[in-house]
Amino acid sequence: ELSGGYILKVDKTTAGGVIAWYSPYQAQAPSNESIGLQLHDPELPELHPSQLNYIQTYFTDWEDALVSSDFTDPVLGYRKFIDVPSFIDFFLVNEVSKNVDGYRISSFFYKERFSEGNKLVAGPLWDFNIALGNANYCAGGSTSGWAKDFNSICGGGLQVPFWWSKLLMDSTYANLTHCRWLALRQ
């Protein structure tokens, strides 16, 4: 268990994963797929209903803030819920590697304890076996385009959640992403 909090994931259920809840929001357009969230640690059967309610409410409150008209507000918006640098690094690694599974499968998040920051953290990064041009479908071998735009390239199946494109609509977040990219390029 990372940082003593809840570990969530967006992933396929073929390996025995169980959807704990579905987001009230659809995946990124043009998709109309549901976003299923799984609990990785502790697993769903081990969780008390109040614990499930806590993490589901926290996550949904973040999504609500993200879709609100105040989403860029530092106090009312999404920033109070997430560790922004971890989301930026998660994004950059998935984009640099053109990870076909990125964002929509094998995406982990963990919720820090209050004493550790009390935020939702993107990561750990995992599952890059068909990244870096190793996928011969859905433009996975192309060196141009964005992995976050998977839903426009490949329909059906598990789709990229709306979070990633929505975050980039915030000029502060986009600028921080650009600055991080420049720092890493050094």
Side-chain angles (χ1 to χ4, degrees):
E1 189 173 315
L2 287 177
S3 293
Y6 299 93
I7 301 175
L8 307 169
K9 65 181 176 175
V10 175
D11 203 358
K12 49 192 174 190
T13 57
T14 53
V18 176
I19 302 294
W21 77 87
Y22 285 93
S23 167
Y25 303 100
Q26 294 176 335
Q28 177 178 303
S31 176
N32 61 0
E33 298 288 324
S34 298
I35 304 167
L37 284 295
Q38 299 176 39
L39 288 159
H40 181 72
D41 190 10
E43 292 181 2
L44 186 58
E46 301 168 14
L47 223 54
H48 188 275
S50 64
Q51 291 174 300
L52 175 59
N53 182 59
Y54 169 77
I55 191 61
Q56 181 177 352
T57 299
Y58 188 92
F59 202 92
T60 302
D61 286 350
W62 167 58
E63 290 181 307
D64 290 343
L66 204 51
V67 300
S68 79
S69 58
D70 295 322
F71 87 100
T72 62
D73 186 281
V75 176
L76 302 174
Y78 70 87
R79 283 181 240 161
K80 70 180 179 181
F81 294 99
I82 67 168
D83 176 71
V84 171
S86 73
F87 275 75
I88 289 171
D89 284 352
F90 190 96
F91 173 80
L92 290 174
V93 169
N94 275 290
E95 289 302 328
V96 165
S97 66
K98 191 78 180 277
N99 188 2
V100 173
D101 283 349
Y103 312 116
R104 62 187 200 91
I105 300 174
S106 306
S107 291
F108 285 86
F109 306 90
Y110 66 92
K111 170 69 175 62
E112 298 171 316
R113 291 182 176 172
F114 186 80
S115 63
E116 298 165 332
N118 199 35
K119 302 250 179 150
L120 185 66
V121 178
L125 291 161
W126 179 72
D127 193 12
F128 287 81
N129 62 318
I130 56 172
L132 299 165
N134 286 325
N136 63 355
Y137 60 93
C138 299
S142 173
T143 56
S144 65
W146 295 91
K148 73 171 181 61
D149 292 336
F150 178 90
N151 300 3
S152 296
I153 298 163
C154 246
L158 296 169
Q159 298 284 283
V160 175
F162 74 94
W163 318 314
W164 304 101
S165 289
K166 184 67 177 193
L167 288 167
L168 288 169
M169 290 179 186
D170 175 13
S171 60
T172 301
Y173 183 93
N175 187 51
L176 289 170
T177 302
H178 179 75
C179 290
R180 178 68 170 149
W181 171 251
L182 293 176
L184 291 171
R185 292 283 296 165
Q186 298 250 358

